[in-house]
Structure formats: structure tokens, C-alpha cells
Amino acid sequence: MSATRLKSLGKLAVLIGLPVAFVVGLFGAGVYVGHGHRTTILSFERDWLGLDVTVPGEPSKPPSDTAKPEPPKPEPPTPEPPKPEPTATPEPAKPEPTPKPVEAPPKPVETPPPPVAGLPVAVAEPAPLPPELQARLGEPLKLRVKVVVDEEVFDRRSDWIDYAERHVRWASQVLLRELGVELELRGVVAWPTAWSSGQVAFADLERVGSDGADLVIGLGGRSIRTPVQAGPTTATHHATAAIAFSSDPTSPAPHLRSLLRAVTQAMGSDPVAADADPIGFSAEERRILLERKHLPFTAEVVEDAPPRPADEAALQGEN
């Protein structure tokens, strides 16, 4: 074997052997020191670290006194001697009770819907419904809506998104109680121009996508004579677009009344009066809405469908 190889093997032995020897020596020194100071180490672990260890040379802890002694078992009671039974005296025969007429079970009382809480304006209590319409009211319907605000609302209100969300939430509370319809807001967008009429607004809404919403509602900032319009409806379909202008700029909820009318007109009726206080639903128009409640929404425009009275009044108001 050459000297160079031996030299290399020696260096390798030194590089490997020294760390191994150091580790083995350190471990051995630790074992030696630990064994020599076992009592001190165990006392430190018990007193400072709270470990449950036994220190050699010290008496073990007495058993915990938390275990309570079992209470003594009660002795069985001594049976009392039997008492003599008294002689039974025959009781006089009782008269048989007169049978009462069978009464018809009372009719269940119809539970009125809960009051609408948290609204900034007054809303009238809904009128009682016949059983078939009460069943329709109990059938849930979630209506997905998308709100488009015009430049008037956008410029006038820095919180235009929260403003639209608040009005949709308030309208959903009223519609849920009156019709069993819950509004689900799918989005709020701003349009760069102000709408001066429903015709202008509908033309702009045609360029806005629905984003999966059933109904697209435009909120106009102006207060005009006819504040609400909706797209055409048929006997088998609802409309897909509606316009709601500001119905009362001085109200804490300027668009609530017109938003309710926009949704209901898109569903084929108009039960909310334009200026009634508090806000209330017409019983006959409410019946129509409950009967049409589950019709689908469509984007098809039916040209031959006759205009509704609300549509004719809206066109006359704009002209």
C-alpha cells in the first residue's frame, strides 16, 4: 500500500474518529455526572419543573386524600308488623255521571306573521289569508336580484353599495312576510349616466348582464311622476327587468316603496299604493302574486302581450 493512500486513510480516520470520540466522551461524561448528581437532578425536576418523580433517600408522598371514604351502607329497614285491616264498610252506590255532549275540536288559530323589525318606515300588518293562499305563503321562494344604480345615486351617495344593500334587505323583509319571497342580492353596479325616464333606463339595462340573477333592478336617483316600471310579463312568465326611481327623497328609505313595486310589477301585479302611509299590500293584488309566485323568469320579450294598466300609466306619465 502506498504512503499516499496510508496518509489519506489516516486523515479520514482522524476526521471521523475525533467527532465520534467527542460525542462518546460527552455522552459518557453526561451519564457519569447524571449518575453522580442523580439526587440533585431529581429534586430540581420535582421542585421546579413539577414532575412527579421520586427522589432517592426521601420518604414518598402520602397518598392523596382526595379520595373520600365510601359512606357506610344503610342497614335495611326493619319490617313493621302488619296492621290489622279494618272491616270494609259497603259504600253507597254512586249515581252514574250524565254523559256530556261531544264538542267539536277548536279550529287552529292562524299564527300571524312576525312584525317587520328594523325598518325605517312603517309597514301595515298583512290581512289574513284563506287556507289555500296561506299554504302558498308558506312555500319559500328565493329571488336573485342584481341592482344597477344610475349616476344620480352614485354621485349623491358615497355609500351607494351599502345603500342598495340596505334597500334590498328591507324589501326582502317585507316580501318575505307578505309573499314568502326572499331577495338574494347577486351584485351592485353603477351606470355612468342619469336616467331621465323608464325608457332610457330599460335601454341601458339591456346592456347590463344578469350575472345569474333572475331580476335586474335599476335604481334611479331622480324623483319623477311615475317612479316604477317593469318589463313585460305573460301568463306563464315573470319579467327580468324593472326600474325603481326615488319615491320620496325625504324618507329614510327613499327607494323602499318603489323597490317593492318594481319586484311585484315584475311578478305580474302592483299591490303597493304609490303614496299610502303606512306601506301596505292590496288583498286582491296580493292574491294574484301568490298564485303567480312560482312562475319562471324569462328574458324573452313578448310583443303581442297587452300592456298592463301600470305600464300604460307609466308611459302616460313619461309623455
Side-chain angles (χ1 to χ4, degrees), residues 111-117 122-128 174 177-178 277-283 286:
T111 304
V116 180
V123 179
E125 290 290 332
V174 178
R177 186 181 70 163
E178 298 282 351
D277 189 20
I279 298 176
F281 276 53
S282 165
R286 185 183 178 204

Side-chain angles (χ1 to χ4, degrees), residues 247-292:
S247 55
D248 184 3
T250 63
S251 170
H255 278 88
L256 178 56
R257 185 188 302 269
S258 58
L259 184 58
L260 290 171
R261 296 186 63 194
V263 175
T264 53
Q265 283 189 14
M267 296 178 67
S269 184
D270 189 8
V272 182
D275 54 358
D277 189 20
I279 298 176
F281 276 53
S282 165
E284 178 60 21
E285 301 294 332
R286 185 183 178 204
R287 178 191 63 79
I288 296 174
L289 288 172
L290 288 172
E291 292 176 351
R292 292 175 50 90

Side-chain angles (χ1 to χ4, degrees), residues 203-218:
D204 290 339
L205 288 185
E206 290 179 357
R207 310 174 194 174
V208 180
S210 63
D211 293 333
D214 301 310
L215 180 63
V216 179
I217 303 176

Side-chain angles (χ1 to χ4, degrees), residues 111-195:
T111 304
V116 180
L119 291 182
V121 296
V123 179
E125 290 290 332
L129 295 171
E132 61 275 9
L133 293 182
Q134 187 69 30
R136 282 275 188 166
L137 177 63
E139 298 171 357
L141 175 63
K142 183 168 290 188
L143 177 58
R144 299 166 297 182
V145 298
K146 179 179 179 179
V147 176
V148 182
V149 301
D150 72 347
E151 188 181 21
E152 290 273 351
V153 178
F154 179 81
D155 290 341
R156 191 180 304 165
R157 299 185 178 274
S158 59
D159 62 336
W160 57 277
I161 296 179
D162 293 337
Y163 177 82
E165 290 178 346
R166 287 196 303 270
H167 278 75
V168 171
R169 183 175 68 253
W170 292 334
S172 180
Q173 290 179 262
V174 178
L175 293 172
L176 188 61
R177 186 181 70 163
E178 298 282 351
L179 305 174
V181 175
E182 179 183 2
L183 300 183
E184 177 184 341
L185 184 61
R186 300 302 297 266
V188 183
V189 297
W191 191 255
T193 59
W195 296 323

